């Protein structure tokens, strides 16, 4: 069991970061230029050190456990910073040339990180330093160049560029979805609702908007289990612990693969309350930020872009 303050074994941690990002042992082995067996050994070594499982196999693939999802969100910006620091020393360039981006952990892990490898392949001249934060975006008192933020898109002193619709839909594991023949309109009130501290009112918004269309039984929009981030709530849904209210763009892969299903056809678009790329009006955007903005826009339009 790891003791407080002790560093993890760095090579297993690196292998976990790649495997967690790709959710594939074989693809991780290709990126790391090792065998799949070596990847599995390194992940098991890290799990033994931490004393918790980081992955579980679902339908022949890999899914992060809640502990694994949380650990990946913490490790990813650390390894990104380490890569950038190493590249800076080897090239002799100043690290001030980095593009520093901050984003919520759920958006980073479920949408941005899987696409960043494509960005680096297309734009090797731009070095992205990615960090995650659950705090309100602060462009004036931090060293970030831009941030991805969830909100209304109107802030003084900030340019906000809309990225995607914020479409809400309940999602559930297929095993739980098929566990009863009772219609979901009647059943939802008896199921555990999964919430995120970052988006506490999404269930109430969805229930209010569909009330005229769906004759739902009495559902308590605030009851159930609450998690620190949507990342953890989605993982709990995948593991069959309840019904999560999801931003569809962030669970698109799971819906396509059948790891999650949507028990209701109704989707609620929260309009202007969505994800934005934001940067300060008080300083001109750098060329690196311009390149990143263009790539981000094309990735939103084409879900496969950059993967």
């Amino acid at each position: 069991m790891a003791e407080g303050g002790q560093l993890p074994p760095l090579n297993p941690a690196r292998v976990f970061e790649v495997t967690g990002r790709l959710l594939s042992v074989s693809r991780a082995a290709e990126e790391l230029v090792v065998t799949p067996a070596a990847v599995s050994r390194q992940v098991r070594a890290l799990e033994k050190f931490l004393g918790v499982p980081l992955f579980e196999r679902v339908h022949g693939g890999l899914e992060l456990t809640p502990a694994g999802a949380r650990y990946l969100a913490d490790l990813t910006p650390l390894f990104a910073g380490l890569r950038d620091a190493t590249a800076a020393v080897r090239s002799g360039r100043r690290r001030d040339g980095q593009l520093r981006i901050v984003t919520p952990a759920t958006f980073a892990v479920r949408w941005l990180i899987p696409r960043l490898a494509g960005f680096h392949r297309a734009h090797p001249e731009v070095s992205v330093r990615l960090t995650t934060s659950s705090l309100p975006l602060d462009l004036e008192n931090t060293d970030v160049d831009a941030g991805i933020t969830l909100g209304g898109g109107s802030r003084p002193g900030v340019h906000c560029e809309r990225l995607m619709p914020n479409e809400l839909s309940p999602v559930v594991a297929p095993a739980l979805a098929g566990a009863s023949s009772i219609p979901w309109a009647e059943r939802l009130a008896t199921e555990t609702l999964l919430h995120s501290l970052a988006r506490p009112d999404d269930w109430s918004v969805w229930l209010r908007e569909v009330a005229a269309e769906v004759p739902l039984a009495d559902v308590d929009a605030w009851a159930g289990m609450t998690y620190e981030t949507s990342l953890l709530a989605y993982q709990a849904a995948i593991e069959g612990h309840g019904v999560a209210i999801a931003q569809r763009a962030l669970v698109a892969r799971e819906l396509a693969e059948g790891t999650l299903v949507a028990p209701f056809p109704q989707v609620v678009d929260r309009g202007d309350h969505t994800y934005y790329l934001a940067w300060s009006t008080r300083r001109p955007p750098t060329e690196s930020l311009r390149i990143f903005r263009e790539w981000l826009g094309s990735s939103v339009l084409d879900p496969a872009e950059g993967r």
Side-chain angles (χ1 to χ4, degrees):
M1 188 74 169
E3 299 175 0
Q6 186 178 358
L7 287 173
L10 294 183
N11 196 50
R14 166 62 177 144
V15 171
F16 163 70
E17 187 267 338
V18 176
T19 309
R21 170 162 45 84
L22 300 175
L23 287 178
S24 167
V25 169
S26 59
R27 291 173 62 195
E30 291 176 6
E31 180 169 320
L32 294 165
V33 198
V34 298
T35 65
V39 170
S40 296
R41 283 196 300 272
Q42 295 288 342
V43 170
R44 285 196 299 269
L46 183 60
E47 289 177 326
K48 182 177 180 181
F49 174 84
L50 295 171
V52 295
L54 299 172
F55 294 103
E56 60 180 32
R57 292 197 171 274
V58 179
H59 302 299
L62 287 181
E63 291 292 349
L64 290 159
T65 64
R70 186 167 57 248
Y71 198 43
L72 179 65
D74 290 337
L75 282 188
T76 296
L78 300 180
F79 276 107
L82 183 60
R83 284 191 293 268
D84 289 340
T86 303
V89 171
R90 295 184 67 182
S91 66
R93 62 175 171 80
R94 294 179 60 191
R95 293 189 70 200
D96 288 347
Q98 291 177 338
L99 179 61
R100 292 155 294 205
I101 303 293
V102 64
T103 172
T106 299
F107 188 90
V109 172
R110 301 200 67 87
W111 197 92
L112 184 56
I113 288 172
R115 292 165 170 80
L116 270 183
F119 175 78
H120 288 303
R121 285 194 299 270
H123 303 284
E125 75 281 7
V126 179
S127 174
V128 177
R129 177 186 173 191
L130 180 66
T131 58
T132 64
S133 175
S134 59
L135 299 174
L137 181 62
D138 183 356
L139 296 171
E140 299 304 317
N141 300 303
T142 60
D143 65 349
V144 300
D145 297 296
I148 292 168
T149 182
L150 178 65
S154 178
R155 295 178 53 183
V158 177
H159 285 296
C160 288
E161 195 164 271
R162 182 186 172 108
L163 293 179
M164 62 183 62
N166 181 14
E167 296 175 326
L168 303 182
S169 175
V171 295
V172 65
L176 184 57
S180 172
S181 60
I182 299 173
W184 271 99
E186 301 172 23
R187 181 180 168 190
L188 188 61
T190 67
E191 296 291 343
T192 301
L193 303 189
L194 306 178
H195 306 262
S196 164
L197 284 174
R199 298 175 12 249
D201 62 340
D202 277 0
W203 264 116
S204 64
V205 168
W206 185 85
L207 289 166
R208 182 179 66 247
E209 292 296 320
V210 305
E213 185 178 350
V214 184
L216 288 165
D218 188 27
V219 179
D220 185 346
W222 308 101
M225 297 288 292
T226 300
Y227 297 84
E228 181 182 6
T229 66
S230 301
L231 183 66
L232 301 181
Y234 297 161
Q235 192 62 39
I238 289 169
E239 294 182 10
H241 299 314
V243 188
I245 185 71
Q247 296 164 301
R248 288 182 69 94
L250 303 189
V251 294
R253 181 174 62 86
E254 286 75 13
L255 290 172
E257 295 176 354
T259 309
L260 289 172
V261 296
F264 293 90
Q266 289 77 17
V267 175
V268 172
D269 189 337
R270 295 208 60 180
D272 290 339
H273 187 84
T274 189
Y275 285 105
Y276 294 84
L277 178 66
W279 64 98
S280 175
T281 60
R282 294 178 174 83
R283 54 181 182 268
T286 64
E287 178 64 10
S288 294
L289 180 55
R290 183 194 65 78
I291 292 171
F292 185 77
R293 285 172 55 204
E294 290 183 358
W295 169 82
L296 199 58
S298 64
S299 297
V300 170
L301 293 174
D302 180 1
E305 176 75 19
R307 284 183 179 268

